[in-house]
Amino acid sequence: MKNDVPEIRLALFGPSSSGKTTFLASYFGNQQRNSFEEAHGYRLEAADVSDGNQLLARYYRMEKGEFPLGTEQFFEYRFGFKVGGLPEPGLHVVWYDYPGGWWERTPKDDSEKAARRDALAKLLTSHVGILLVDGMKYVSEGLPFVRHLLDQFRNEARRISDEFAASGAPLESLPKQWIIAISKADLLPADLTAEKVCRDIVSGAADQLAGVAKAVNSKSFGSQYLLLSSVRGDGGHVIDAHEFIGLQLVAPVALVSVLSELADKAAKGSGFGILKTILERLSALVDLVDKLDDFLPPKYQVLTQLLKALALKDGIDKGADYFREKQAAAAKKGKVLEAAAAALRAELASTAAQRAFFRNQT
Amino acid sequence: MRIDLDSVLWRTRGRTWDYGFVLRPVHPHIETWYDFHADAFSGATPGRDPVSVGGVLLTIDGEKVPFVATTFQDPTLRDAAGRPVAHYFVWFPTIAGAPADLELPADWGPQVVQAFGDEWKTAFSSDGASDDDLLAPARSMIKEVPLSDAGGSSIRFDRRVVEKKKRQAVPPTSKTNRTRLVTAAVGALILALVIYWLTHR
């Protein structure tokens, strides 16, 4: 039964201190709280209790106002997405955390080199890569900061690819789906949307985006933008660990990203715009959904069931409440997968999601 | 008591560079310090007060090397993102016999940091680029750290850490294995054909 649960694997990319560890602690900490479950009708549960406790220890530290220590080892976290009172998760969300420095520099110690290599190889099995852009620096330094970050990321991606190729085991595939996430979104002006950020970066850093797209071999790199905030902070301290932006959107947005790629591949139009528009466009894909496995690369086929359960045509004009009701009804009947899919649709239909995500036409 | 710095493993981070070894011991000599570090500090979380553990490293050569380890947050330093900086120290003391424990000041780790003084502060603020371990040049000057005796506590050598074998730098992937097999099979076939042709000509 456990093997039948679809899983989505997500990896955060970004230099040391870009907020990967804080994100994960907040991601788990906030989505397993009782108040979150009351409002959203689901919660996250760590598959490994000691992993969950470790993340909670970091989360409690944030509740006291301190950011967690940086990560100095590779960790794989597996969370069960549990709807209502259902005993089984409808979806597993898998995250990888690792020292950001591993992306920037080759360690001197041989066994750390080997651990880094294993970790990077795992990252490549992700369905979606999320590149973190420090929102505070984006606001204060503007596009020069973004250009520098993208150039740096391109160079690191190339260096690591070359390093693997030189060692006789070239990288087989990097994630095809990428989301550029503007972190620390709590520090952004209130009227700044993902769409505005996208327009700004696409017009002001086109060359750098094209450079990364080539380096990671993903034509769509730079087309998807998400506003994220793990906590409300002042740059040095956590002011409120319970205030976050976009955490609950990451998994559903990643699925939409996979579907959009599918639409591109099948030449059935493409999903772009704000989430509502994307879902409207993707609903044209319904006749194709039954044949998902023909289009999806093997790495994505573990998601097929869930993608089908999203029922794209249903409730296009409906808001989050409509899907929450569907979620509750499915949970009542013990339909785990349908309940999870409805919960994800509810997140995508929320007003907050319309501001926080934007996909540009590529 | 004095800490011989040639027997110290120190892992920490700088303002901008990420966690790495700034000192690796001259003795004992093993090649898998990262794996050892992960096992030695398993379950130990660096806090404001130092946390110490003790144990024995079982080397591949069958040697049993006692060690004491401590981890704590630096009381003043913060990284570029404002997060506390953790230190991880392991010391392999030269002791006669096989004692069950060792009496050490609870703050022996912070005392070592203090002994490196400006050398450590310079390394912390640097870009971290170095061919050698970052504090190896300073170690050759300081050599050892005399410990003050205040606040001693007993650390038991009750943790067992087995030296891991050095992993291959390039683990053969299924693809490279397949390629090798196919190459070998094609080679063998060509060789067999050549032999057949030569013997039946």
Side-chain angles (χ1 to χ4, degrees):
Chain A
M1 180 68 195
K2 199 179 171 186
N3 290 334
D4 295 332
V5 179
E7 69 175 31
I8 182 157
R9 296 189 293 274
L10 305 161
L12 289 168
F13 293 80
S16 172
S17 76
S18 59
K20 296 185 290 296
T21 306
T22 303
F23 170 85
L24 276 176
S26 176
Y27 184 82
F28 178 62
N30 277 309
Q31 294 193 75
Q32 59 81 53
R33 293 181 74 219
N34 183 56
S35 55
F36 183 91
E37 190 176 358
E38 292 289 323
H40 297 253
Y42 66 87
R43 70 191 158 88
L44 288 185
E45 194 175 273
D48 184 309
V49 177
S50 64
D51 285 352
N53 288 339
Q54 187 185 46
L55 285 174
L56 282 180
R58 291 178 189 163
Y59 180 67
Y60 296 147
R61 187 190 174 93
M62 295 190 326
E63 285 185 320
K64 286 184 194 163
E66 287 184 45
F67 282 104
L69 295 167
T71 299
E72 58 113 20
Q73 284 180 50
F74 175 80
F75 289 100
E76 176 178 316
Y77 295 106
R78 181 178 292 268
F79 304 118
F81 185 95
K82 284 192 159 179
V83 181
L86 293 171
E88 291 292 324
L91 164 72
H92 282 135
V93 185
V94 181
W95 282 102
Y96 303 114
D97 194 16
Y98 56 98
W102 279 0
W103 189 255
E104 294 156 20
R105 189 169 291 173
T106 310
K108 293 186 193 87
D109 187 73
D110 283 344
S111 57
E112 190 169 357
K113 268 184 208 162
R116 168 182 174 266
R117 190 194 158 80
D118 292 349
L120 292 176
K122 275 257 185 179
L123 289 180
L124 302 181
T125 67
S126 307
H127 297 117
V128 179
I130 297 168
L131 176 64
L132 288 174
V133 174
D134 188 322
M136 195 162 70
K137 288 187 181 166
Y138 171 62
V139 168
S140 62
E141 298 172 33
L143 283 170
F145 161 71
V146 179
R147 290 190 201 112
H148 174 72
L149 179 90
L150 291 170
D151 277 342
Q152 200 181 17
F153 185 60
R154 178 202 59 191
N155 294 342
E156 284 152 6
R158 276 184 182 166
R159 188 174 59 82
I160 288 169
S161 292
D162 291 349
E163 205 179 293
F164 273 58
S167 67
L171 298 176
E172 291 188 13
S173 68
L174 282 152
K176 290 283 178 217
Q177 307 297 317
W178 287 87
I179 297 171
I180 295 182
I182 313 298
S183 67
K184 304 173 189 172
D186 54 304
L187 302 172
L188 300 178
D191 62 341
L192 193 63
T193 62
E195 182 174 358
K196 284 184 186 169
V197 172
C198 168
R199 305 257 179 252
D200 187 35
I201 295 179
V202 165
S203 63
D207 184 63
Q208 287 75 14
L209 288 175
V212 179
K214 196 174 170 188
V216 299
N217 192 25
S218 164
K219 284 180 187 164
S220 63
F221 182 90
S223 63
Q224 307 191 99
Y225 293 80
L226 178 67
L227 305 186
L228 269 187
S229 169
S230 305
V231 295
R232 185 159 67 85
D234 64 3
H237 299 90
V238 177
I239 295 170
D240 191 341
H242 304 154
E243 273 191 44
F244 56 86
I245 299 169
L247 295 187
Q248 76 285 13
L249 284 175
V250 178
V253 154
L255 289 170
V256 167
S257 167
V258 174
L259 278 169
S260 300
E261 177 79 3
L262 173 66
D264 286 341
K265 264 198 182 140
K268 290 268 181 182
S270 179
F272 55 90
I274 59 168
L275 273 164
K276 192 171 181 297
T277 321
I278 295 172
L279 290 167
E280 275 168 13
R281 291 181 200 277
L282 290 180
S283 65
L285 201 71
V286 167
D287 57 328
L288 226 133
V289 163
D290 285 337
K291 298 174 188 164
L292 273 175
D293 283 344
D294 298 340
F295 288 95
L296 288 173
K299 176 161 110 173
Y300 295 94
Q301 284 171 10
V302 287
L303 290 173
T304 308
Q305 279 180 298
L306 188 69
L307 291 171
K308 286 178 184 171
L310 282 178
L312 290 171
K313 240 179 185 170
D314 180 37
I316 282 295
D317 295 324
K318 309 284 187 191
D321 291 345
Y322 171 79
F323 292 103
R324 292 265 177 254
E325 280 170 23
K326 293 203 80 164
Q327 172 187 338
K332 210 171 177 181
K333 289 179 192 163
K335 293 184 173 175
V336 178
L337 193 67
E338 284 76 1
L344 297 175
R345 284 292 303 270
E347 297 300 358
L348 295 173
S350 67
T351 3
Q354 309 312 315
R355 177 199 170 214
F357 182 73
F358 186 76
R359 181 179 163 98
N360 195 36
Q361 188 175 15
T362 47
Chain B
M1 186 171 287
R2 289 171 175 274
I3 291 189
D4 168 18
L5 293 174
D6 278 347
S7 306
V8 167
L9 179 70
W10 182 0
R11 186 173 173 86
T12 186
R13 68 163 298 148
R15 191 184 308 282
T16 56
W17 46 269
D18 212 343
Y19 283 96
F21 294 113
V22 291
L23 274 187
R24 280 174 294 176
V26 177
H27 45 80
H29 177 75
I30 67 170
E31 291 187 88
T32 49
W33 283 119
Y34 179 77
D35 295 335
F36 168 81
H37 163 83
D39 289 343
F41 287 99
S42 169
T45 307
R48 288 196 181 91
D49 296 323
V51 177
S52 289
V53 294
V56 176
L57 164 65
L58 307 170
T59 70
I60 289 170
D61 300 334
E63 204 184 345
K64 291 180 182 176
V65 191
F67 70 83
V68 283
T70 185
T71 181
F72 54 92
Q73 290 175 20
D74 194 287
T76 53
L77 297 176
R78 293 284 183 273
D79 70 12
R83 297 174 298 184
V85 169
H87 295 282
Y88 300 85
F89 280 98
V90 181
W91 176 38
F92 298 90
T94 308
I95 38 180
D101 55 22
L102 183 69
E103 187 92 9
L104 271 179
D107 66 343
W108 67 271
Q111 288 190 46
V112 178
V113 178
Q114 208 172 4
F116 276 82
D118 288 344
E119 301 290 341
W120 159 237
K121 284 177 189 155
T122 306
F124 177 78
S125 303
S126 74
D127 65 2
S130 163
D131 290 337
D132 202 353
D133 290 345
L134 212 49
L135 289 173
R139 171 174 62 189
S140 59
M141 291 184 292
I142 302 169
K143 293 188 189 313
E144 55 182 24
V145 178
L147 295 177
S148 71
D149 295 335
S153 62
S154 172
I155 304 169
R156 290 186 61 79
F157 297 118
D158 50 10
R159 201 167 272 218
R160 293 282 175 276
V161 178
V162 179
E163 180 189 351
K164 299 266 192 334
K165 281 184 186 164
K166 189 179 172 183
R167 281 183 279 175
Q168 277 183 293
V170 186
T173 61
S174 55
K175 190 178 176 185
T176 53
N177 281 341
R178 268 200 312 275
T179 311
R180 279 178 197 152
L181 278 174
V182 170
T183 312
V186 170
L189 188 65
I190 291 170
L191 189 64
L193 285 171
V194 169
I195 292 169
Y196 179 83
W197 180 71
L198 286 173
T199 52
H200 289 79
R201 200 168 52 157

